[in-house]
Amino acid sequence: MSDASYRDAIFSTPLDKVARFSFDERVVACFPDMIRRSVPGYGQILGMLGVIAERHLRHGAHVYDLGCSLGAVGLALAGQLPRDAFSLTGVDLSPAMVERARQTLEHECPDHAIEVIEGDIRHLDYRPSGMIVLNFTLQFLAPEDRDGVLEKLYQALEPGGVLILSEKIKAGDEQDNAWLVERYHDFKRANGYSDLEISQKRNALENVLVPDTLEQHHQRLARVGFARSLTWFQYLNFASMVAFK
Ligand code: GEK
């Protein structure tokens, strides 16, 4: 077992001060465990990306994986598509994530044209692409930065290209939202997180992860130019959308 598979115990002891969540070395070490136990449907979403790419991606087209963390999207696509089917650029702000993603991808799929760069997705010069994936990344940008990034992505997509946007969402109705959040905490409990871990992580993510409603997402996608978008997956307060250019 590699050390990338450490169990996430970051919020298992009381912290003097509530630390703001950040993607540092500590998070990197247990990230695969953390995301699998914390994001309902994470594996199913990754599994469908190759299926969607097979249907929509022009052969040999370029793909972006924005906020790539340890490179799971690249790994998923490389596992399902031949090496000449696409080239991919993963981008992440965290040097620790980028370093580990490079090692993993180099090791797991050396024949695929996959690169990982350290960068801020708000300020990148995007090249023309057939598919752009934002898998649980837009939610970490300040709300006022979200339109600007999506506008750039719309411009970068080739006609016929697709954007995949997976996000933690909130329900517009307060009562519905409370139910989803409570069942989400049950989901985490069932995956072995204690009440202390759940509440400390919730505090650490406050103001760091600001979710939108599905309606806000679809309205934003329309505002930046996408003629059509739909929600293809939802599991509690986590959803994935596809937008077509
Ligand atoms: C996966 N997609 O496994 N520019 C670049 N990267 C950023 C920025 C930014 N402005 N802000 C945050 N990040 C992955 C999971 S994790 C989701 C994505 C989670 C990066 C941040 O460093 C982190 O690696 C990633 O976005 C979010 O499919 O941890 O819930």
Side-chain angles (χ1 to χ4, degrees), residues 51-62:
V51 175
I52 294 172
E54 270 172 357
R55 288 286 172 199
H56 290 281
L57 197 61
R58 175 180 60 75
H59 188 81
H62 181 258

Side-chain angles (χ1 to χ4, degrees), residues 23 31 35 42 65 67-69 72-73 92-94 97 119-122 135-137 139-141:
F23 294 98
F31 186 78
I35 199 150
Y42 177 71
D65 174 16
C68 64
S69 297
V73 170
D92 207 285
L93 198 53
S94 155
M97 289 287 190
D120 189 326
I121 63 165
R122 293 169 301 177
N135 211 32
F136 303 105
T137 301
Q139 60 194 22
F140 289 107
L141 300 190

Side-chain angles (χ1 to χ4, degrees), residues 65-214:
D65 174 16
L66 303 178
C68 64
S69 297
L70 300 184
V73 170
L75 280 177
L77 291 182
Q80 285 175 265
L81 303 177
R83 66 178 176 191
D84 56 348
F86 70 99
S87 63
L88 182 142
T89 304
V91 184
D92 207 285
L93 198 53
S94 155
M97 289 287 190
V98 168
E99 195 190 328
R100 184 62 73 86
R102 278 188 189 138
Q103 287 168 5
T104 307
L105 290 161
E106 175 62 29
H107 186 258
E108 298 294 328
C109 35
D111 296 335
H112 282 77
I114 301 181
E115 58 167 1
V116 184
I117 59 173
E118 191 183 318
D120 189 326
I121 63 165
R122 293 169 301 177
H123 308 307
L124 223 58
D125 282 329
Y126 290 96
R127 56 189 271 201
S129 297
M131 181 171 178
I132 300 180
V133 182
L134 281 158
N135 211 32
F136 303 105
T137 301
L138 193 73
Q139 60 194 22
F140 289 107
L141 300 190
E144 62 272 20
D145 291 340
R146 295 176 188 179
D147 275 55
V149 171
L150 284 180
E151 262 162 32
K152 288 175 94 171
L153 302 186
Y154 179 77
Q155 295 306 329
L157 271 178
E158 295 162 354
V162 285
L163 176 89
I164 302 289
L165 174 61
S166 310
E167 289 273 290
K168 184 174 191 177
I169 51 153
K170 67 173 187 222
D173 178 89
E174 221 174 287
Q175 210 182 348
D176 292 354
N177 196 55
W179 189 90
L180 289 172
V181 170
E182 284 158 20
R183 296 300 75 73
Y184 172 52
H185 291 160
D186 290 342
F187 168 94
K188 289 189 78 171
R189 245 172 246 120
N191 281 332
Y193 283 112
S194 68
D195 290 344
L196 178 68
E197 288 174 296
I198 292 170
S199 77
Q200 297 222 56
K201 176 129 183 207
R202 186 183 197 178
N203 291 340
L205 283 176
E206 184 112 29
N207 303 322
V208 175
L209 194 171
V210 181
D212 289 322
T213 62
L214 281 174

